[in-house]
Amino acid sequence: MGGLKGIDLFRKVPADLTNATFLGACLSIAATVFMAFLFAIELWAFVVQSVETGVVLDTNPDQLLRINFNVTMLDLPCEYAAVDVVDVIGTNQMNVTKNVQKWSTDASGARLAYRGRNREQKELKHQEHAETIEDMHADGVHAVELSDKSIKDFVGKDFAFVNFYAPWCVWCQRLAPTWERLAEEVGKFEAETDKHVALNVSVGKVDCPGNPDVCNAHQIRAFPSMRLFKKGEPLGDYRDDRTVEALLKWLKTKVNFDEQMKGWAVDHGAPGAPGAALDLDDHPGCMLSGFVLVNRVPGNFHVEARSAHHEINAALANVSHVVNHLSFGPPVPSNLRRKLGKRYPDFFPGAQALDGGAFIDGGAHEAVHHYIKVVSTHFDVGTFLSGLTSKLSRGAPPPERTVVGYQMVTQSQTMHYHELDVPEAKFSYDLSPMAVAVSSTGKHWYDFVTSCCAIIGGTFTTVGLLDGILHKVLKAGKQL
């Protein structure tokens, strides 16, 4: 024990050899307050982490980039809405159907009926005729040619079936002999006989390029459009096979349904039938939601009006739209998104740049195009969050404890189209070769402990020196 006492670094001075002074008490209080102040600052620096950013070369090895979108087309029916993808290396995907869903919408853009997945458009059967349209006209024209002056009285009849067409439309040219033959067959049904049931339907046609005001008033968006009227009110558009047999069957169904509704009204003493046979869309809006996988090169995806069996009326192709959501990259799990939002509140993206924006076309032959600069942003999640990132890499281990997000810089501009070209809502994107690295830094626990020891020891030593100097000065002053 005696030997160990020889290496004691903290030797004690007997209490009877020390002397407490008023100056020492004041300096002790001051030192305690000063150490507490420095300790609070050091503790704050240890608890609060600072965010650091840097620009690095983007070395993302992924070949494909995911684009998530939810866009409401305010004036484009779902049956004509198509999503295309184009890029600079030659990729040209027309009418992307995988991972894209459609909903019809009302006049305010609210979602209504589910239209299903964006499937390929239905194949229609077209009837072939041995006679040409000129041969059919040899015994007279049965389908009445209508104009802006005659159509009002024509559709005001009990039933009127009208074909809105364009002479240059190839589908209209194929339909022309079938439509003429239909008008001839309907004429045989005008009176009820043993063979036929009365079918009082007038069949006509309108040349839309020759009568643009008529077709604009009836919102004819594609050629040919075959619409049934009852006393001036539309009952529905025909969308099935373009054969005389199919057309007649559809007409009979419509007329018979109307007769049944009349019988219901008489039986129930009602002036009319509830929900008459109107099967037109309440509003031709469509919400498209889903994602596309594109190459990591500059390109664009766009929404436009297209049909496999129609020619789109470019004058009425309105692609006004609302961007409900647009983002790049795989979706981040909600728990990880919440924690990253707290850790990087000024950097981690919440609402994207275009989200909630309404882009309305100013007139015919116009469309809003969006130009997007995409910048990869690598967020350091640390070890305590790295396990959550496995969902982002399709089961593979997360690289270097980072989550890759994408920031966007956007600009929108109204573009003008030629009168024969169909407008499109285009989203052009370009990926930056540089990436932003975001990380949070703070003191390690051993740095914090070291700083606390330095505060205590340094303050005690400094105040001790100051106390010794002041004590000698004051003592020398008393002797003088």
Side-chain angles (χ1 to χ4, degrees):
M1 295 294 291
L4 290 176
K5 290 181 180 181
I7 61 173
D8 184 9
L9 299 178
F10 306 100
R11 301 190 180 191
K12 307 300 185 293
V13 179
D16 54 354
L17 296 179
T18 61
N19 185 25
T21 64
F22 178 76
L23 175 63
C26 292
L27 290 175
S28 297
I29 294 174
T32 302
V33 173
F34 185 66
M35 285 188 293
F37 175 71
L38 292 181
F39 177 77
I41 294 177
E42 192 66 27
L43 180 63
W44 177 260
F46 174 70
V47 173
V48 178
Q49 296 184 337
S50 61
V51 177
E52 295 184 354
T53 61
V55 178
V56 298
L57 184 66
D58 189 5
T59 57
N60 194 324
D62 295 338
Q63 296 182 352
L64 298 177
L65 174 65
R66 172 169 168 159
I67 304 178
N68 313 288
F69 62 90
N70 186 312
V71 179
T72 298
M73 308 303 296
L74 298 176
D75 203 27
L76 181 63
C78 284
E79 63 176 315
Y80 298 143
V83 179
D84 302 339
V85 176
V86 181
D87 63 34
V88 297
I89 61 175
T91 301
N92 190 356
Q93 302 179 43
M94 308 295 287
N95 192 25
V96 177
T97 59
K98 187 177 181 180
N99 303 317
V100 178
Q101 310 287 334
K102 290 181 178 179
W103 287 266
S104 59
T105 62
D106 62 13
S108 63
R111 194 168 67 181
L112 293 175
Y114 177 57
R115 295 293 184 181
R117 207 182 74 179
N118 186 28
R119 295 181 292 268
E120 295 289 344
Q121 295 180 352
K122 175 185 175 182
E123 289 293 331
L124 300 181
K125 181 180 179 181
H126 294 77
Q127 185 170 344
E128 302 295 336
H129 300 271
E131 298 176 285
T132 63
I133 187 67
E134 290 77 12
D135 295 335
M136 294 181 180
H137 288 166
D139 59 346
V141 178
H142 298 85
V144 181
E145 188 73 42
L146 303 174
S147 66
D148 56 348
K149 297 180 180 179
S150 59
I151 188 170
K152 183 176 180 179
D153 293 335
F154 188 84
V155 300
K157 299 178 181 181
D158 284 344
F159 289 98
F161 199 20
V162 181
N163 173 26
F164 296 89
Y165 73 98
W168 47 262
C169 167
V170 63
W171 303 110
C172 301
Q173 295 170 9
R174 293 187 66 179
L175 178 65
T178 301
W179 195 256
E180 179 64 20
R181 183 67 69 196
L182 171 68
E184 185 177 350
E185 291 295 323
V186 168
K188 300 176 182 179
F189 287 79
E190 290 183 355
E192 184 173 358
T193 64
D194 294 337
K195 185 177 181 181
H196 301 298
V197 177
L199 188 62
N200 188 21
V201 179
S202 301
V203 180
K205 56 185 178 180
V206 178
D207 178 359
C208 284
N211 301 274
D213 293 339
V214 173
C215 295
N216 290 344
H218 288 276
Q219 293 290 296
I220 303 303
R221 305 172 187 278
F223 309 124
S225 290
M226 294 158 278
R227 183 166 296 173
L228 180 64
F229 295 86
K230 179 187 177 183
K231 296 182 179 180
E233 297 295 328
L235 290 184
D237 284 2
Y238 179 80
R239 295 182 173 90
D240 292 327
D241 291 339
R242 295 171 184 174
T243 65
V244 174
E245 180 182 359
L247 287 163
L248 278 174
K249 182 179 179 181
W250 187 79
L251 281 177
K252 291 176 184 178
T253 301
K254 288 293 183 182
V255 173
N256 291 338
F257 182 79
D258 182 74
E259 293 298 328
Q260 293 174 6
M261 290 298 100
K262 285 182 179 179
W264 183 93
V266 172
D267 294 341
H268 293 77
L278 181 66
D279 65 358
L280 287 175
D281 293 336
D282 293 335
H283 188 78
C286 185
M287 177 186 291
L288 299 105
S289 178
F291 66 91
V292 292
L293 295 175
V294 300
N295 295 313
R296 294 182 63 89
V297 297
N300 73 79
F301 79 95
H302 53 268
V303 182
E304 68 170 318
R306 187 188 302 113
S307 174
H309 305 287
H310 298 82
E311 292 288 349
I312 301 299
N313 184 1
L316 286 184
N318 184 355
V319 290
S320 299
H321 57 279
V322 174
V323 181
N324 303 307
H325 177 71
L326 179 67
S327 63
F328 291 79
V332 180
S334 58
N335 54 349
L336 179 58
R337 173 179 288 276
R338 183 172 60 257
K339 292 181 179 180
L340 284 174
K342 292 180 179 179
R343 195 168 190 179
Y344 305 112
D346 297 330
F347 297 91
F348 191 73
Q352 298 291 344
L354 292 176
D355 287 7
F359 304 92
I360 310 302
D361 298 341
H365 309 294
E366 292 183 1
V368 178
H369 289 190
H370 308 281
Y371 302 91
I372 307 169
K373 190 69 173 182
V374 184
V375 181
S376 298
T377 307
H378 300 260
F379 297 95
D380 180 17
V381 299
T383 55
F384 73 100
L385 288 180
S386 60
L388 298 176
T389 62
S390 59
K391 297 180 180 179
L392 300 178
S393 53
R394 300 176 187 174
E400 301 180 0
R401 306 179 310 172
T402 61
V403 172
V404 178
Y406 293 88
Q407 310 287 338
M408 296 188 298
V409 179
T410 64
Q411 182 179 11
S412 301
Q413 181 178 354
T414 299
M415 303 298 293
H416 299 272
Y417 286 74
H418 187 272
E419 62 179 10
L420 297 181
D421 294 332
V422 179
E424 56 194 12
K426 181 180 289 187
F427 299 82
S428 300
Y429 53 87
D430 184 15
L431 278 76
S432 171
M434 308 303 292
V436 177
V438 183
S439 61
S440 60
T441 59
K443 283 193 172 184
H444 297 287
W445 66 268
Y446 46 83
D447 291 332
F448 173 70
V449 173
T450 303
S451 298
C452 290
C453 293
I455 290 172
I456 297 172
T459 303
F460 186 84
T461 302
T462 303
V463 174
L465 292 174
L466 180 62
D467 177 66
I469 294 172
L470 291 177
H471 179 72
K472 289 183 179 181
V473 171
L474 292 176
K475 184 176 181 181
K478 289 180 180 181
Q479 293 176 352
L480 293 175

